């Protein structure tokens, strides 16, 4: 699913301009967050929090 507001390339450009940034592209997400992907998003957030707190 394409994101009509922010194309993937825009997110990649932003991530490339931030030191140590990581981008996660989730198939089917678009601009909305379908409840079915909440566990995947939560895992990515937790991984990110753990990486900066150690």
């Amino acid at each position: 699913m394409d994101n009509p507001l922010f194309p993937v390339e825009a997110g990649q450009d932003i991530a490339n301009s931030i030191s140590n940034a990581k981008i996660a592209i989730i198939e089917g997400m678009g601009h909305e967050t379908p409840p079915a992907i909440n566990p995947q998003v939560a895992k990515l957030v937790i991984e990110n929090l753990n990486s900066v707190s150690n």
Side-chain angles (χ1 to χ4, degrees), residues 8-9 12 23-27 29 40 44:
V8 170
E9 294 81 14
Q12 290 169 325
I23 187 168
I25 299 170
I26 301 171
E27 290 296 321
M29 186 166 170
Q40 184 179 3
L44 291 167

Side-chain angles (χ1 to χ4, degrees), residues 3 5-8 12 16 21 25-26 35 38 41 46 51 53-54:
N3 183 331
L5 299 176
F6 300 102
V8 170
Q12 290 169 325
N16 289 337
I25 299 170
I26 301 171
N38 285 346
V41 172
I46 291 167
S51 74
S53 63
N54 290 329

Side-chain angles (χ1 to χ4, degrees), residues 17-34:
S17 70
I18 301 171
S19 294
N20 301 316
K22 295 179 184 172
I23 187 168
I25 299 170
I26 301 171
E27 290 296 321
M29 186 166 170
H31 195 71
E32 300 290 324
T33 306

